[in-house]
Amino acid sequence: AGWSVCFRRHFSTSPSRLQSCMSAWVIDQYGTNGVLKFAEEITVPTVNSPSEVMIKVHAASLNPLDISMRGGYGAKLLKLRRDPMSVMDNNNDSEFPLILGRDVSGVVVDCGSEVTHFVPGDKVWAAVPPWKQGSLAEFVTLTEYEVSHKPKLLSHTEAASIPYVANTALSALVNAGGLCRDSSSNKRVLITGGSGGVGTFSIQLLKAWGAHVTVTCSQNAEGLIRGLGADEVVDYTAGDAHEQLGMMEKFDVILDGVGGETEQWAIGLLKPWSGAKYVTLVTPLLFNADSMGLLGGMFQTGFTLHSKATQNIISSGVFYRWGFYAPDGPALDEVSKLVDAGKILPVVEAQFPFTQVPQAFQKLEQGHARGKTVVRVA
Ligand code: NDP
């Protein structure tokens, strides 16, 4: 695939016309870290529809999805979402050059004619959907609905650590888990994989909502997790996490960020016949589409979800659900208020300059995250 070649031009009028090309980290094929390339001649994503907002990126952050997408994970379904006509031609590589990076904190530089909530100069944050060009670039363009005013108390670097995990946690806990600000008081929630991006955010959100929060994590993350407000912490590396959790009062909701074997024992920790819900973030949706094709993958995914949901509701009266990231600017508005009220803190474990994006990917790929890895772009 050829990169869009453009020539840097400088104008003195509207900010959106300041330049027609930008720097970005792109991939033009899937693979390991070596496929990441710094490119200076990428076409600026200008506002193309009345509801779009163009943002100058100040900071971005990385998520496990970036590592997976770099390797081609989800390519079939995401390509279909980007360009429905691509289904006619399996071999086209229309997604390249692809820009990764799902979080942005930055400043609005241009708005479509129907944008009502933002004006140029606003400081904003957002989680960029994986079917759109990402935030490891000087500019990103999103629809107004996906964007929110960033918390006033946070720097761009701190703010970039939150949107994607916040949109994921809120979608999973509210839409799939049935929790909300007014219904969580004294609900018993278990979070597995609590020391990573989604976990460190979810603990704080649930505590702000009044829930009782139990977390599984490695022993060396216990101080961090307790500092974020967790009520009970179980060290899964000690080997008997399942037994320790089994001795506790049962749970109303489980948010599973680990998946695999965890699913097999975690469901038994829910209160039976009480509407309790198990929500896992580790789903086979994109993997199935990659490995079985769009139609076969969708069929297999639907079958798996339906059979697990049916089996659990019949055997113990608990709901089995999948949680997904969903873009949602208004949800980020609520998070912004909680951050400015001091109820949610950013958990930034590592920061990298824009020149060191491959090093940031390497850090994330090593695993054992304790919060988020952020890239300073501007
Ligand atoms: P991170 O990589 O930030 O965090 C994962 C954390 O889990 C690490 O702190 C790790 O630390 C810990 N961990 C690993 N194994 C276990 C275990 N067996 N028990 C308890 N903790 C464990 O990931 P995120 O928080 O960003 O995401 C969590 C999961 O959710 C990922 O699988 C991600 O792909 C998925 N996800 C799914 C989304 C969706 O739309 N469905 C959206 C966002 C995320 P350590 O190894 O040191 O214990």
Side-chain angles (χ1 to χ4, degrees), residues 316-336:
S316 52
V318 300
F319 292 97
Y320 173 95
R321 292 182 175 164
W322 289 347
F324 292 103
Y325 151 83
D328 189 345
L332 290 179
D333 289 342
E334 293 305 310
V335 176
S336 207

Side-chain angles (χ1 to χ4, degrees), residues 63-65 164-165 168 192-199 216-218 220 236-237 256-258 262 280-283 323-325 364 367-372:
N63 290 274
L65 182 64
Y164 191 77
V165 294
T168 300
T192 66
S195 49
V198 177
T216 68
C217 64
S218 299
N220 66 8
Y236 80 91
T237 61
D256 186 359
V258 175
T262 306
T280 181
L281 295 173
V282 185
T283 81
F324 292 103
Y325 151 83
L364 198 71
H368 310 299
R370 299 289 178 263
K372 299 291 299 177

Side-chain angles (χ1 to χ4, degrees), residues 1-2 28 79 89-97:
D28 56 8
K79 191 189 277 190
D89 176 9
N90 256 342
N91 296 319
N92 85 53
D93 50 8
S94 57
E95 69 266 48
F96 300 123

Side-chain angles (χ1 to χ4, degrees), residues 109 117 147 156 212 275 295 359:
V109 291
H117 287 87
V147 182
H156 285 298
H212 181 281
L295 214 57
Q359 288 88 332

Side-chain angles (χ1 to χ4, degrees), residues 165-192:
V165 294
N167 275 160
T168 300
L170 278 159
S171 163
L173 291 169
V174 175
N175 301 335
L179 295 170
C180 68
R181 187 182 54 190
D182 301 323
S183 72
S184 301
S185 184
N186 298 321
K187 286 270 164 56
R188 288 182 53 77
V189 184
L190 169 65
I191 300 171
T192 66

Side-chain angles (χ1 to χ4, degrees), residues 151-271:
K152 293 181 181 55
L153 291 183
L154 299 190
S155 67
H156 285 298
T157 304
E158 291 168 326
S161 68
I162 292 178
Y164 191 77
V165 294
N167 275 160
T168 300
L170 278 159
S171 163
L173 291 169
V174 175
N175 301 335
L179 295 170
C180 68
R181 187 182 54 190
D182 301 323
S183 72
S184 301
S185 184
N186 298 321
K187 286 270 164 56
R188 288 182 53 77
V189 184
L190 169 65
I191 300 171
T192 66
S195 49
V198 177
T200 51
F201 175 83
S202 302
I203 294 165
Q204 300 184 80
L205 178 75
L206 288 164
K207 287 312 297 174
W209 285 355
H212 181 281
V213 181
T214 302
V215 176
T216 68
C217 64
S218 299
Q219 197 254 332
N220 66 8
E222 180 170 348
L224 167 70
I225 297 307
R226 285 204 187 275
L228 296 173
D231 299 285
E232 309 272 0
V233 180
V234 173
D235 169 18
Y236 80 91
T237 61
D240 59 352
H242 177 200
E243 285 165 32
Q244 283 189 57
L245 290 164
M247 287 188 287
M248 294 178 179
E249 191 185 329
K250 290 198 182 293
F251 297 95
D252 296 290
V253 175
I254 296 175
L255 179 63
D256 186 359
V258 175
E261 287 179 8
T262 306
E263 180 172 316
Q264 284 150 33
W265 51 257
I267 293 172
L269 302 171
L270 287 168
K271 294 176 183 169

Side-chain angles (χ1 to χ4, degrees), residues 16 26 37 54 60 170 184 262:
S16 68
V26 301
K37 289 184 184 175
M54 181 177 164
L170 278 159
S184 301
T262 306

